[in-house]
């Protein structure tokens, strides 16, 4: 039986259509997904392309509209989104035609990756510590966020280009393996997608990479976000100097008194730098990365709610500023669908329609190798995603629901 490959387009060459800004590390040259690559195929649109909105949800949550129509013409939206980098992030981990890869009529699965890239770090030496699968059932009336722990032990497939013979490691290393030897973020995402597909059986319709270094500006574009802190935590990354937040490394250089940044329990409005810093904390939290996963999911929902409630999506100037901020913060793979086309037609869900789920019950499940292992219930949850029976699974297993508000 012949294997059908996903009908996905080649990667655009750097500089084409102005969609690959120089600040984002990318792999030059062609990068078709599967044998032969092929030209762009027009994808069948569904009546309510919720998945497209939620692709952007990870990078900016800028298009969760709560029924408010996006203002402006397609030309305006196209101009605003022209600096969003579009790359081939899935490789051969995209859905095959048999899985509905050329259509959005069925369930939609997105791979959302977060990287914490700093200017002093090499483009091929970055790991992805934030790994989220976004699942939208075929009913298109709900959206689920499932985080995969960064320390999960996984088999990372071999890669001749990366000089990697294949083997087990923490799953966050998959991105770094794929990025080696010029693979860049595109190669890193492709290797991560392939690793996750091998582990869970899930193929993807699209993907997004968020650079947390640019995430602050996205939050600032919508003002503040309401975050409910469940456990007091002091930042390991930032301090206050003369009343201003600074990275600890920069704060030490001033020679001035450093006051720790502390997040008290309770619900509060956070500025961009606060929300970003809080969502980065891991080591001092009771359940480490598991608590950080829930905090990051909470931030995504908070941004969705704020963007739909403060008039951003009905104000041309605010919307334009938000999209431009997002364009500097993330890389997108939509399987060839034009951004302006699916953004312009989006309507619908609110932040309340995003359901955050936990793996391993939200706590550690070590395997003896100083790594995490996905328990049986978590593997059943991923199977439910693959079978598009996640809603039924959640009803029968409410313990997988996030405890964050």
């Amino acid at each position: 039986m012949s294997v059908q490959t996903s009908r996905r387009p080649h990667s655009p060459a750097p500089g084409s259509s102005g969609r690959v800004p120089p600040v984002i590390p990318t792999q030059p040259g062609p990068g078709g997904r599967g044998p032969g690559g092929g030209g762009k195929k027009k994808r069948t649109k569904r009546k309510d392309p919720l998945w497209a909105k939620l692709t952007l949800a990870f990078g900016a949550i800028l298009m969760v509209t709560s029924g408010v129509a996006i203002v402006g013409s397609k030309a305006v939206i196209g101009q605003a989104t022209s600096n969003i980098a579009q790359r081939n992030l899935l490789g051969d981990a995209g859905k095959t035609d048999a899985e509905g890869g050329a259509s959005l009529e069925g369930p939609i699965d997105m791979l959302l990756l977060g990287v914490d890239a700093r200017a002093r770090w090499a483009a091929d030496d970055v790991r992805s510590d934030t790994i989220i699968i976004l699942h939208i059932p075929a009913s298109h009336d709900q959206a689920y966020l499932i985080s995969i722990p960064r320390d999960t032990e996984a088999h990372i497939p071999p890669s001749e280009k990366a000089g990697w013979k294949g083997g087990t490691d923490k799953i966050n290393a998959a991105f770094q393996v794929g990025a080696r030897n010029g693979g860049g973020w595109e190669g890193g995402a492709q290797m991560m997608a392939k690793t996750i597909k091998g582990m869970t059986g899930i193929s993807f319709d699209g993907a997004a990479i968020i650079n947390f270094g640019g995430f602050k500006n996205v939050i600032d574009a919508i003002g503040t976000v309401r975050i409910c802190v469940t456990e007091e935590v002091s930042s390991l990354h930032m301090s206050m100097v003369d009343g201003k937040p600074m990275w600890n490394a920069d704060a030490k250089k001033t020679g001035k008194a450093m006051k720790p940044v502390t997040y008290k329990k309770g619900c509060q409005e956070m500025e961009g730098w606060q929300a970003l810093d809080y969502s980065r904390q891991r080591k001092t939290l009771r359940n480490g990365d598991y608590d950080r996963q829930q905090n990051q999911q909470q931030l995504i929902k908070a941004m969705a709610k704020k963007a739909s409630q403060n008039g951003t999506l009905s104000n041309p100037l605010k919307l334009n500023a938000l999209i431009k901020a997002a364009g500097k913060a993330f890389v997108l793979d939509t399987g060839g669908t034009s951004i302006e086309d699916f953004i312009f037609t989006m309507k619908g869900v609110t932040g309340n329609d995003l359901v955050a789920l936990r793996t391993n019950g939200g706590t550690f499940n070590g395997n003896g190798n100083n790594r995490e292992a996905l328990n049986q219930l978590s593997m059943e949850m991923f199977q439910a995603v693959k079978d598009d029976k996640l809603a039924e699974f959640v009803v029968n297993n409410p313990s997988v629901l996030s405890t964050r508000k």
Side-chain angles (χ1 to χ4, degrees), residues 51-321:
W51 83 274
K53 178 187 316 180
L54 292 169
T55 303
L56 299 180
F58 182 68
I61 319 300
L62 67 163
M63 292 304 154
V64 184
T65 62
S66 186
V68 180
I70 297 173
V71 298
S73 66
K74 288 187 179 180
V76 172
I77 298 298
Q79 182 179 9
T81 59
S82 63
N83 67 334
I84 296 178
Q86 295 184 75
R87 305 298 295 173
N88 177 353
L89 304 181
L90 292 176
D92 55 9
K95 287 186 177 177
T96 64
D97 289 345
E99 295 172 308
S103 171
L104 298 178
E105 293 294 330
I108 305 299
D109 297 295
M110 303 292 301
L111 177 59
L112 311 175
L113 304 173
V115 300
D116 198 357
R118 309 281 175 84
R120 65 180 182 275
W121 294 351
D124 60 356
D125 190 22
V126 177
R127 295 193 174 205
S128 176
D129 279 359
T130 298
I131 308 164
I132 298 177
I133 293 176
L134 187 152
H135 173 74
I136 299 166
S139 57
H140 303 155
D141 58 358
Q142 196 74 70
Y144 299 88
L145 298 172
I146 306 175
S147 295
I148 297 179
R150 66 189 288 276
D151 292 333
T152 300
E153 186 170 78
H155 174 74
I156 302 176
S159 169
E160 182 177 352
K161 177 180 178 61
W164 171 257
K165 296 181 179 180
T168 58
D169 202 334
K170 294 180 179 180
I171 196 168
N172 69 337
F175 194 95
Q176 193 274 339
V177 168
R180 291 176 186 173
N181 300 331
W185 288 12
E186 183 177 356
Q190 290 179 9
M191 180 59 78
M192 180 66 80
K194 190 173 183 179
T195 299
I196 294 174
K197 180 176 180 179
M199 182 173 68
T200 67
I202 298 172
S203 301
F204 298 98
D205 295 275
I209 302 175
I210 179 71
N211 177 4
F212 284 118
F215 205 48
K216 170 186 173 295
N217 295 331
V218 176
I219 302 173
D220 287 341
I222 58 174
T224 59
V225 288
R226 183 173 175 77
I227 299 294
C228 293
V229 179
T230 59
E231 175 185 351
E232 180 175 321
V233 59
S234 293
S235 174
L236 296 179
H237 311 128
M238 302 190 76
S239 298
M240 302 296 290
V241 177
D242 292 337
K244 297 180 180 180
M246 298 183 68
W247 291 106
N248 286 337
D250 296 327
K252 291 177 182 178
K253 295 177 182 178
T254 67
K256 297 181 179 180
M258 297 168 55
K259 180 181 178 181
V261 173
T262 301
Y263 301 97
K264 303 287 187 179
K265 289 181 64 175
C267 298
Q268 54 205 268
E269 290 290 325
M270 290 190 183
E271 297 178 21
W273 71 268
Q274 293 173 306
L276 179 57
D277 183 53
Y278 175 67
S279 70
R280 278 175 164 153
Q281 304 308 313
R282 171 178 61 91
K283 293 184 178 180
T284 57
L285 296 177
R286 185 179 300 109
N287 290 304
D289 186 47
Y290 289 95
D291 283 340
R292 181 173 68 167
Q293 292 168 30
Q294 292 194 78
N295 291 341
Q296 290 176 341
Q297 292 173 343
Q298 179 186 202
L299 175 57
I300 289 175
K301 293 186 66 173
M303 292 178 70
K305 292 178 181 179
K306 186 61 176 287
S308 64
Q309 293 172 355
N310 72 348
T312 295
L313 301 173
S314 58
N315 183 309
L317 295 178
K318 288 184 178 181
L319 180 62
N320 189 61

Side-chain angles (χ1 to χ4, degrees), residues 8-33 40-41 43 51-52 55-56 77-91 110 185-187 189-190 205-209 323 326-343 346:
R8 296 177 178 275
H10 287 288
S11 300
S16 63
S17 302
R19 291 189 182 278
V20 186
V23 296
I24 297 179
T26 54
Q27 167 68 11
R33 297 181 192 157
K40 291 186 178 180
K41 299 282 187 177
R43 303 184 72 167
W51 83 274
T55 303
L56 299 180
I77 298 298
Q79 182 179 9
T81 59
S82 63
N83 67 334
I84 296 178
Q86 295 184 75
R87 305 298 295 173
N88 177 353
L89 304 181
L90 292 176
M110 303 292 301
W185 288 12
E186 183 177 356
Q190 290 179 9
D205 295 275
I209 302 175
I323 296 176
K328 296 178 181 178
F330 72 103
V331 184
L332 186 63
D333 183 342
T334 62
T337 303
S338 70
I339 296 179
E340 58 268 28
D341 189 47
F342 66 62
I343 287 181
M346 290 175 206

